Amino acid sequence: MTSTVRRLLLLLPTLFGVSIVVFLLLRLIPGDPAQVIMGLRATPEGLAAITRDLGLDLPLHEQYVRWLGALFSGDFGRDYRSNVPVTQLLATRLPVTLELTLLSLLLALIVAVPLGVRAAVHPNGIADKAASVLGLIGISIPDFWLGILLVLVFSLTLGMFPSSGFVPFSDGIFANLRAFALPALTLATGLSAVLVRVTRSAVTEVLSRDFVRFLKAKGLPPRAIINRHVLRNASVPIITVIGMQFGYLLGGAVIVEQVFDLPGVGSLIVTATMERNYPVVQAGMLVVALLFILVNLGTDLLYAWLNPRLRGGAR
Amino acid sequence: MSMAASSRLRALSKPTPAAIGAAIVLLLAALAVLAPYISPYDSESMDFNAVLSPPSLAHLFGTDNFGRDVLTRALFGLRVSLIAAIGSVAAAMVVGVPLGLLAGYRRGFVDAVIMRPVDVIMAFPAIVLVVALAGVFRQSLGLMTLAIGFVYFPIIVRVMRGAAIEVSDALFVEGARARGASRVRIMARHVLPNAITPVLVQASALMGVAILMEAAISFIGLGVQPPTPSLGLMLSDGRSYMGDAPWLVICPGLGILVAVLGFNLMGDGLPRLLDAANRRRK
């Protein structure tokens, strides 16, 4: 338990650093926020009033403290354009991104883990060859290009799936999943490539251990050896990689949401960057970084739980 | 000839994936460098009599909605891809290698001072950081390249640091220390050459990643601006016409895929290649 607490405490400096990066990035970007808000209607008096309202005339460290204080009370600022609280925007955008990433993760797991296991059990077999091809092409193919190709084949030519757009869950789970099918497949490909490689090498390694030979000698059927013993022992590297790759999924979501016109956090950040809508960019980056950090923490904890040798504390 | 040597010879005569990767990279680099001399058309000249014409002998990969030759534009786009990849990885190495070496060799306080900020940068998915920086680099290829380098230098630092830690405990490093060699000399002459292999492998993989990143950023409209040809930009422009002219999205995407594949294949085989070179030197 103490190691869990220590890990949580170690997060604090990282979170502090993340907040500084996100805050400073806004100062780096050329252009005056007040000008962005007022646009063409800008008058000197109006600009001065907005600058005062936003606290932009204060020294940098005071601005930071004010901003951080507001964050802790749940105030992420307001959208410069629509004046809607940013938290409200995030509340509608985040579920879309989460559904996309979770569906992709699920899809990657369903395809890559069994394929990787089969490739390890039968080296040089068909599954092994398929795994090598997926492992190489999957990490090399640009996800936005794959998305475009999928649209070209499955929606423009075959008409099986919509080419873009989002259908909320409330419109029925089937329609919702249909809209997510191509984006999730696109996003899952890169992850599958990494996962199939890791699964294959992890299972190969476990298969070479003495206890597997013992179980075989004992006469346990191969299927039981794999399902009951090998997979559990191979799960640690697989889970670690999933945790590390979650950041890739979040990053990939930025692109995939753009390709398929999905209203997620990624497309929110991109649009806001183009419009110089700083509070939205900041909030989006914070949320994504926070998610990433939390998933890594969860992976660490799960890792320790699966692998008791790594648990700290009394020995 | 020993059996090991003859099997090594046989392995060399059969093209390894790494050799194929290196060949792809060299070929693409040659195409990119020679683009102005070998491309059949001018990258920006428009031919309104040949708008959206399908692949033919006159236009091997067809033309776009302005009647521009897709092959020519893809060759010039490849230049942009490679400039961004080489520039950003070089920048990441120039900053990352010394920092990682220092952190791994000195450990302790120096290590913490270097690694905490690195952890912070790595807390963001790379593309989110590049997108946010897009507001700063404002569509300049040079600045975008630096931004990509900035996002990836932490990876170089981490790999360099890990390798440096391992080598720093070796006997020959201790020997140099006992001989009274200076800290800089030990790091540069003893630790660095023996710890650089994993960094080079990582750098090769990062080249592929950087090509993808440049294409992605240009694709979403925050990178290279028209009329400069970029493979990512060609893809986003071609999307509007892909129902009638699928070649507009197939050719540039294939270009990106092959380039990234080349670097990945090369990176996969690099450890063995460097290992063999080292053995020959000794």
Side-chain angles (χ1 to χ4, degrees), chain A residues 2 87 93 95 134 136 201 203 213 218 298:
Chain A
T2 48
T87 40
R93 298 293 193 122
L134 175 64
L136 195 61
S201 72
V203 171
R213 211 169 306 144
K218 214 178 89 177

Side-chain angles (χ1 to χ4, degrees), chain A residues 140 145 251 255 259 274 292, chain B residues 122-123 127 220 239 249 264 268:
Chain A
S140 304
W145 187 51
I255 303 294
V259 174
M274 288 175 175
F292 192 20
Chain B
M122 290 196 72
I127 190 144
I220 55 181
R239 273 174 82 196
V249 294
N264 282 337
D268 279 354

Side-chain angles (χ1 to χ4, degrees), chain A residues 17-18 21 25 30 136 139-142 144-145 148 151-152 197 247 251 255 258-259 273-274 276 285 288-289 292, chain B residues 120 122-125 127 131-132 138 212 215-216 219-220 222 235 239 242 249-250 253-254 256-257 260-261 264-265 268:
Chain A
V18 163
V21 167
L25 212 54
L136 195 61
I139 56 164
S140 304
I141 199 165
F144 46 96
W145 187 51
I148 290 173
V151 167
L152 195 59
R197 285 179 163 204
I255 303 294
Q258 209 68 18
V259 174
T273 304
M274 288 175 175
R276 306 188 175 274
M285 287 183 71
V288 169
F292 192 20
Chain B
V120 169
M122 290 196 72
F124 296 95
I127 190 144
V131 165
R138 293 191 144 179
L212 285 176
F219 175 79
I220 55 181
L222 289 169
L235 272 178
R239 273 174 82 196
M242 70 176 174
V249 294
I250 290 173
L254 216 52
I256 303 171
L257 172 65
V260 178
L261 199 64
N264 282 337
L265 281 172
D268 279 354

Side-chain angles (χ1 to χ4, degrees), chain A:
Chain A
M1 216 53 225
T2 48
S3 70
T4 311
V5 174
R6 215 169 45 120
R7 276 207 181 82
L8 284 172
L9 285 177
L10 270 174
L11 276 186
L12 291 177
T14 308
L15 287 174
F16 177 64
V18 163
S19 73
I20 289 190
V21 167
V22 169
F23 173 78
L24 282 183
L25 212 54
L26 185 140
R27 311 290 128 178
L28 270 175
I29 296 174
D32 178 8
Q35 187 75 47
V36 175
I37 295 176
M38 294 204 79
L40 295 173
R41 295 168 290 124
T43 57
E45 300 80 44
L47 288 179
I50 289 182
T51 304
R52 215 174 320 110
D53 277 353
L54 293 176
L56 293 173
D57 50 347
L58 296 171
L60 213 53
H61 62 276
E62 268 180 54
Q63 288 187 40
Y64 173 72
V65 171
R66 260 180 105 178
W67 177 70
L68 203 62
L71 281 188
F72 275 116
S73 58
D75 177 9
F76 281 62
R78 280 167 182 276
D79 183 325
Y80 279 174
R81 306 241 149 188
S82 60
N83 209 26
V84 174
V86 175
T87 40
Q88 209 172 309
L89 281 179
L90 287 175
T92 57
R93 298 293 193 122
L94 200 54
V96 178
T97 301
L98 287 180
E99 186 175 357
L100 174 63
T101 45
L102 291 178
L103 283 175
S104 309
L105 183 59
L106 195 68
L107 208 58
L109 279 174
I110 291 173
V111 174
V113 172
L115 186 62
V117 171
R118 249 196 110 71
V121 174
H122 305 288
N124 293 320
I126 297 175
D128 195 14
K129 297 213 167 89
S132 321
V133 172
L134 175 64
L136 195 61
I137 302 288
I139 56 164
S140 304
I141 199 165
D143 37 17
F144 46 96
W145 187 51
L146 179 64
I148 290 173
L149 290 184
L150 289 175
V151 167
L152 195 59
V153 175
F154 290 103
S155 52
L156 293 190
T157 311
L158 298 175
M160 286 163 68
F161 296 101
S163 64
S164 69
F166 169 67
V167 180
F169 207 69
S170 51
D171 285 10
I173 182 166
F174 183 70
N176 169 271
L177 287 180
R178 226 173 81 108
F180 270 114
L182 295 184
L185 186 58
T186 307
L187 193 52
T189 303
L191 179 62
S192 309
V194 178
L195 217 50
V196 84
R197 285 179 163 204
V198 172
T199 307
R200 187 190 179 285
S201 72
V203 171
T204 305
E205 194 269 320
V206 175
L207 281 176
S208 71
R209 287 195 210 157
D210 284 339
F211 83 91
V212 176
R213 211 169 306 144
F214 171 73
L215 291 173
K216 265 187 216 159
K218 214 178 89 177
L220 212 61
R223 189 171 289 268
I225 296 179
I226 299 285
N227 290 345
R228 249 182 268 154
H229 300 277
V230 174
L231 269 184
R232 182 186 301 171
N233 278 284
S235 62
V236 173
I238 298 175
I239 286 171
T240 313
V241 163
I242 292 176
M244 288 182 340
Q245 289 291 311
F246 187 76
Y248 162 83
L249 279 185
L250 282 176
V254 173
I255 303 294
V256 172
E257 284 170 12
Q258 209 68 18
V259 174
F260 290 97
D261 213 2
L262 292 174
V265 177
S267 56
L268 181 72
I269 295 176
V270 172
T271 323
T273 304
M274 288 175 175
E275 294 175 343
R276 306 188 175 274
N277 204 336
Y278 306 130
V280 180
V281 179
Q282 285 184 317
M285 287 183 71
L286 270 181
V287 166
V288 169
L290 202 61
L291 261 178
F292 192 20
I293 291 171
L294 286 179
V295 168
N296 278 335
L297 176 73
T299 315
D300 274 359
L301 298 180
L302 197 62
Y303 187 83
W305 180 72
L306 277 169
N307 195 346
R309 270 170 303 178
L310 291 173
R311 269 179 227 162
R315 202 189 301 207

Side-chain angles (χ1 to χ4, degrees), chain B residues 217-239:
Chain B
I217 293 294
S218 297
F219 175 79
I220 55 181
L222 289 169
V224 175
Q225 294 299 301
T228 309
S230 147
L231 295 171
L233 202 56
M234 288 174 73
L235 272 178
S236 75
D237 289 344
R239 273 174 82 196

